[in-house]
Amino acid sequence: MKFHKIEGSKPSSGHYTPAVSANGFLFISGQVPVDPITGEKYSGGIEEQFMGILNNLKRLLEDSGSNLDNVVKVNIYVPDAENWGIVNEIYSKFFGKHKPARAIIPCGKLHKWYLLELEAIAILKDN
């Protein structure tokens, strides 16, 4: 087992690691709309927050030895189910032709009033 983070990022605020690799898989902890280098929340609405999260995901994958094409599963948590459409649209554009398994999960309020959170599983290399 190996622990991973974005190069130059601040330490995690809780008792977790941004990503853990084991047996060829990379398990990515919940990503919230926070810049990992500065620790500042991404400003704006759901679109800006989601793009920040997706860019963090991409950076974490690359810094861990993987990439977007190796993502096999994504869970997206949204407090407001009304945002399902915009989340789906942004996600589709970001991943393009690659279609990992996915769930968009309506949930209660997220801490610090974030508008969404994402977790993922990827493989470390093509099998």
Side-chain angles (χ1 to χ4, degrees), residues 53-110:
I53 288 172
L54 290 169
N55 286 321
N56 289 351
L57 171 66
K58 183 176 186 237
R59 289 170 66 189
L60 184 54
L61 287 162
E62 290 170 353
D63 286 359
S64 301
S66 192
N67 60 54
L68 286 172
D69 289 336
N70 287 338
V71 174
V72 295
K73 175 71 169 122
V74 176
N75 288 335
I76 305 166
Y77 301 92
V78 293
D80 185 353
E82 295 294 319
N83 287 321
W84 192 95
I86 191 68
V87 167
N88 188 58
E89 181 181 330
I90 293 167
Y91 178 93
S92 298
K93 288 178 183 175
F94 192 81
F95 275 96
K97 293 182 181 185
H98 182 56
K99 294 183 179 181
R102 183 195 75 188
I104 298 177
I105 305 156
C107 63
K109 295 176 190 169
L110 295 169

Side-chain angles (χ1 to χ4, degrees), residues 24-26 61 65-67 70-72 121-127:
F25 286 95
L26 183 67
L61 287 162
S66 192
N67 60 54
N70 287 338
V71 174
V72 295
I121 300 171
I123 53 176
L124 289 173
K125 60 182 179 179
D126 291 321
N127 288 332

